[in-house]
Amino acid sequence: GGDMVVHLPKRHGGKVEICTLREFCCREGAEDLFVVPLSEGFDGEESVRRALACVGVSGYNVAFSNCEHFARYCAAGEACSLQVEACFDRTRHYMTGWHT
């Protein structure tokens, strides 16, 4: 709430942390910020509760537990990454084509 953000960074051991909106927007990689509207999900209060419950939890993994997984878990209850899924789909497509 206010000007605070809960997020899962790659740095600091990949621990969920709270920072100011200014710190979040000025961090390395902030130029790659994406906002994806969800058609379904929790209300803001529940999303914030879920995010705050994860503060201090570590385990960042680009394929299985990245910032998109975290954001989707907080907003809709499903820890998934459409970016990772698309990458796996492309890889599977190329590997399948390579074997034929």
Side-chain angles (χ1 to χ4, degrees):
D3 73 338
M4 304 305 289
V5 175
V6 180
H7 71 113
L8 175 59
K10 288 185 261 189
R11 61 181 172 70
H12 297 235
K15 284 186 179 181
V16 176
E17 64 184 25
I18 300 174
C19 65
T20 66
L21 182 57
R22 181 178 189 80
E23 290 168 333
F24 181 75
C25 291
C26 293
R27 79 195 192 298
E28 183 180 336
E31 63 276 1
D32 296 330
L33 181 64
F34 297 96
V35 177
V36 179
L38 299 175
S39 58
E40 296 179 14
F42 301 121
D43 63 21
E45 225 174 88
E46 176 63 14
S47 295
V48 169
R49 188 193 67 71
R50 287 171 160 266
L52 291 174
C54 294
V55 171
V57 173
S58 62
Y60 182 93
N61 179 292
V62 70
F64 304 109
S65 182
N66 66 35
C67 54
E68 184 182 4
H69 289 100
F70 175 68
R72 287 182 180 276
Y73 165 76
C74 294
E78 183 180 8
C80 68
S81 170
L82 301 182
Q83 295 172 49
V84 170
E85 289 176 14
C87 181
F88 284 154
D89 287 345
R90 283 191 299 276
T91 302
R92 195 172 14 261
H93 169 76
Y94 289 120
M95 295 301 288
T96 303
W98 181 71
H99 289 296
T100 57

